[in-house]
Amino acid sequence: MAELKYLSGFGNECASEDPRCPGALPEGQNNPQVCPYNLYAEQLSGSAFTCPRSTNKRSWLYRILPSVSHKPFESIDQGHVTHNWDEVDPDPNQLRWKPFEIPKASQRKVDFVSGLHTLCGAGDIRSNNGLAVHIFLCNTSMGNRCFYNSDGDFLIVPQQGKLLIYTEFGKMLVQPNEICVIQRGMRFSIDVFEETRGYILEVYGVHFELPDLGPIGANGLANPRDFLIPVAWYEDRQVPSGYTVINKYQGKLFAAKQDPSIFTVLTAKSVRPGVAIADFVIFPPRWGVADKTFRPPYYHRNCMSEFMGLIKGHYEAKAGGFLPGGGSLHSPMTPHGPDADCFEKASRAKLAPERVADGTMAFMFESSLSMAVTKWGLKTSNCLDENYYKCWEPLKSHFTPDSRNPAGPD
């Protein structure tokens, strides 16, 4: 196994790049008009955009293709994963479990996702408040499958067998007597080397953090240096049979094949600073003057729900298909961003000051809650655009691993 490299620290502001592509990180900005090596910039948010600095979490990724480029998600068998805490009557008695049995690889192949079993939990996923305890029992690697959790953070505790975890941020090896945290929305795939078992604590709506020190003094409990962060690493390969992305959303499992707020007008606050039950946001006419920057809204996976509507005109990131009187809903951690035509034009445009959105008015309802869609919205209204996902299908890889500085706009 090749040597794995890590950075040290908990909650640090870290930056790393794969040594195969030196200088892959843009200098002095997050979202250049054309990224080094012809990559796509994409932000993954770990908090509401408006959180105070001390709790504001986000990561910028530079990808060969943005994560929005995928076929529609379809519901799949969720096996033993659940968030229904009313399946059986409450039992106040003492409970204890014998070692959970790991399926034999000779009998059936079970990877990390198909080997997830929910043991207990409380709270509500849609209101981002609660937790669940899961057991994982697996005997084979995930192969051409990856997983991400829209509901919460996973704290993974292996008990038997080691896990080689491939994440969007790099690779890490986690063995018994070690733990790892994979935050909400991060995609990962797990290789195992034997019959493997462990525990997962899932928390909804919050992130794990180090405990306060208080009277025990400066040097007690876990130290930030005790935690490691993988160094960036990329993979560029084609999967003829298709690469499957599995999503846990509102306690259900979905699978897909994969080939921001501007002006907040009104807010309904929650009990968490900077995190709103609802924000009303508008996208009014304005000047676009950012230099050396990709100006339309960037590719993004948000921990909030975003419902957008259009009053008049057209929205700059979706010149077609998004019409006045219609709407769109991007649920927590569902990727979204400019369609293929918008991306290509904005990547080549001359960056002179220009007016944006004259004669238009788009708005957004943004919420920290995970919203359910009604039967009327999905079926009865007969207005659902079944082809929405196709606006991202033409996106293609421009990755130039041998050239950091691709040609700029004409």
Side-chain angles (χ1 to χ4, degrees):
M1 185 182 301
E3 179 185 2
L4 302 180
K5 296 182 179 180
Y6 302 93
L7 303 172
S8 177
F10 187 97
N12 291 1
E13 184 90 1
C14 298
S16 68
E17 55 192 24
D18 192 306
R20 291 173 290 175
C21 290
L25 296 180
E27 297 176 1
Q29 61 181 145
N30 297 320
N31 189 31
Q33 184 184 23
V34 179
C35 292
Y37 298 100
N38 270 320
L39 297 169
Y40 289 84
E42 177 173 308
Q43 181 176 285
L44 173 62
S45 75
S47 65
F49 297 142
T50 47
C51 278
R53 180 178 292 272
S54 61
T55 57
N56 204 305
K57 308 293 183 185
R58 89 286 182 266
S59 294
W60 278 95
L61 302 164
Y62 300 93
R63 305 173 57 98
I64 295 172
L65 276 174
S67 60
V68 73
S69 179
H70 63 78
K71 299 293 185 182
F73 280 97
E74 296 181 356
S75 179
I76 61 174
D77 182 2
Q78 65 187 77
H80 298 282
V81 175
T82 185
H83 66 115
N84 180 3
W85 313 129
D86 296 318
E87 286 183 326
V88 296
D89 291 333
D91 184 351
N93 288 299
Q94 299 90 337
L95 302 174
R96 184 169 67 182
W97 288 269
K98 297 176 181 178
F100 298 98
E101 184 175 351
I102 308 171
K104 299 293 183 183
S106 59
Q107 297 174 345
R108 60 188 178 101
K109 301 288 188 182
V110 180
D111 67 12
F112 176 83
V113 174
S114 54
L116 285 174
H117 299 70
T118 305
L119 188 64
C120 57
D124 179 62
I125 289 177
R126 291 179 181 171
S127 63
N128 287 324
N129 180 36
L131 80 165
V133 174
H134 311 278
I135 305 297
F136 65 90
L137 308 165
C138 54
N139 56 38
T140 193
S141 300
M142 289 177 64
N144 294 324
R145 306 202 320 162
C146 73
F147 178 80
Y148 74 99
N149 184 2
S150 292
D151 297 332
D153 287 8
F154 270 178
L155 189 159
I156 300 175
V157 185
Q159 181 272 325
Q160 176 179 317
K162 58 189 177 183
L163 310 175
L164 179 58
I165 305 179
Y166 300 82
T167 79
E168 295 176 275
F169 294 80
K171 299 181 289 186
M172 52 187 174
L173 184 67
V174 187
Q175 306 183 72
N177 285 339
E178 296 178 334
I179 63 171
C180 81
V181 173
I182 299 181
Q183 283 88 358
R184 184 183 181 194
M186 292 184 184
R187 298 183 175 192
F188 65 96
S189 183
I190 293 182
D191 282 358
V192 299
F193 308 91
E194 58 185 300
E195 293 173 358
T196 304
R197 176 172 55 205
Y199 310 87
I200 298 174
L201 172 59
E202 179 184 17
V203 292
Y204 312 143
V206 294
H207 294 300
F208 291 101
E209 55 187 83
L210 294 181
D212 291 330
L213 293 170
I216 64 175
N219 301 303
L221 302 178
N223 295 295
R225 66 169 183 255
D226 299 327
F227 294 84
L228 302 177
I229 301 160
V231 168
W233 168 86
Y234 78 85
E235 182 178 53
D236 184 15
R237 64 186 175 98
Q238 299 296 318
V239 181
S241 60
Y243 190 85
T244 302
V245 180
I246 302 171
N247 173 219
K248 178 175 174 288
Y249 175 71
Q250 294 190 13
K252 307 289 185 181
L253 296 185
F254 300 84
K257 294 292 185 181
Q258 186 159 31
D259 285 344
S261 306
I262 296 187
F263 298 105
T264 301
V265 181
L266 294 172
T267 184
K269 296 180 179 179
S270 72
V271 295
R272 287 177 282 161
V275 181
I277 297 295
D279 280 333
F280 173 56
V281 177
I282 64 170
F283 298 78
R286 58 199 182 276
W287 279 97
V289 297
D291 193 22
K292 300 180 181 178
T293 298
F294 184 80
R295 289 181 177 175
Y298 42 78
Y299 293 104
H300 183 55
R301 285 171 283 166
N302 191 1
C303 64
M304 309 281 275
S305 297
E306 299 180 5
F307 176 86
M308 284 194 64
L310 188 61
I311 297 172
K312 61 179 181 178
H314 65 273
Y315 179 54
E316 62 263 29
K318 299 284 194 313
F322 184 55
L323 302 175
S328 67
L329 176 64
H330 300 136
S331 296
M333 295 307 172
T334 296
H336 52 282
D339 59 30
D341 185 59
C342 175
F343 175 84
E344 296 296 337
K345 289 179 179 178
S347 297
R348 297 191 301 267
K350 292 184 178 180
L351 295 180
E354 63 175 336
R355 288 289 294 174
V356 177
D358 275 340
T360 79
M361 182 59 72
F363 70 91
M364 180 189 295
F365 301 147
E366 187 171 58
S367 175
S368 61
L369 306 184
S370 182
M371 295 188 282
V373 182
T374 64
K375 181 181 178 181
W376 179 88
L378 289 177
K379 301 291 184 182
T380 311
S381 69
N382 200 32
C383 290
L384 188 67
D385 182 358
E386 303 283 358
N387 295 315
Y388 182 28
Y389 73 95
K390 292 183 179 179
C391 75
W392 294 293
E393 281 197 329
L395 286 167
K396 57 185 179 181
S397 169
H398 299 289
F399 183 40
T400 54
D402 299 321
S403 175
R404 180 184 184 275
N405 297 309
D410 297 334

